[in-house]
Amino acid sequence: MSREAVQAILAGQAKDEAWYQALFAESLLCLVEDKDPKACTDRLRPLVEEGPDQLKVHGRLLMAHAYRAMGRRRLAIFNYQAVARREEADETTVLALAALIEIGDESSKKLAQSRIDLLRQQDPPIPHLDLIEGGPSLLAIQELLSE
């Protein structure tokens, strides 16, 4: 979908699922294409506050990335923690936990690593864990790239 199509959807007043998806897409473009993390966080607020649950989670993770890009570490950590604390563990949870291990304070790092260790013990373990340090897929990718 083009950026013009996304903006056309956002110009409508109906805040339905398509509108929130377009808002997420526009926010992502602000961060990645425009290199404007502030605009990204500003656009994400309605999604994070009132959007559909699954999109809210992805919006919160993107917001954390944007705060991190702005150098606003505390706000990034706060948003990563909000995603990581969710009971349901999916790819957003794993990404948030990995980010907390990377940029969090000692307490955050310890809690994130503990949660990852617990998730690895699940039967079956969630597949996204395989891309975190020490996972077989990550090791295979690293081996492939070192050849």
Side-chain angles (χ1 to χ4, degrees):
M1 180 180 306
S2 72
R3 193 159 195 178
E4 292 79 23
V6 167
Q7 290 172 341
I9 293 170
L10 292 174
Q13 295 299 313
K15 289 189 176 179
D16 56 7
E17 178 115 6
W19 189 87
Y20 285 110
Q21 287 174 352
L23 185 62
F24 180 83
E26 177 63 19
S27 302
L28 183 60
L29 288 168
C30 285
L31 182 62
V32 175
E33 192 173 282
D34 301 344
K35 310 273 189 262
D36 189 351
K38 172 98 173 74
C40 175
T41 59
D42 291 345
R43 282 179 176 74
L44 281 172
R45 284 193 206 308
L47 171 63
V48 169
E49 292 171 2
E50 58 201 46
D53 287 340
Q54 193 55 30
L55 266 174
K56 266 186 193 182
V57 173
H58 288 279
R60 175 78 66 184
L61 183 65
L62 181 57
M63 185 174 274
H65 294 326
Y67 280 128
R68 187 175 180 182
M70 285 190 282
R72 308 227 19 219
R73 185 173 168 264
R74 283 187 177 172
L75 283 170
I77 289 171
F78 172 81
N79 283 281
Y80 285 131
Q81 286 174 332
V83 175
R85 276 194 298 267
R86 294 173 45 249
E87 194 169 312
E88 178 189 341
D90 58 12
E91 74 278 2
T92 56
T93 308
V94 172
L95 289 170
L97 289 167
L100 286 169
I101 288 172
E102 188 175 327
I103 70 163
D105 57 24
E106 286 308 310
S107 174
S108 296
K109 287 178 183 183
K110 196 175 213 177
L111 287 170
Q113 187 60 57
S114 173
R115 176 94 192 268
I116 286 173
D117 292 344
L118 286 173
L119 291 173
R120 281 195 169 127
Q121 293 173 14
Q122 283 184 356
D123 189 26
I126 59 174
H128 312 292
L129 287 171
D130 204 25
L131 292 172
I132 293 181
E133 185 177 336
S137 291
L138 181 61
L139 294 174
I141 292 168
Q142 289 172 335
E143 187 176 305
L144 179 68
L145 293 175
S146 67
E147 292 177 353

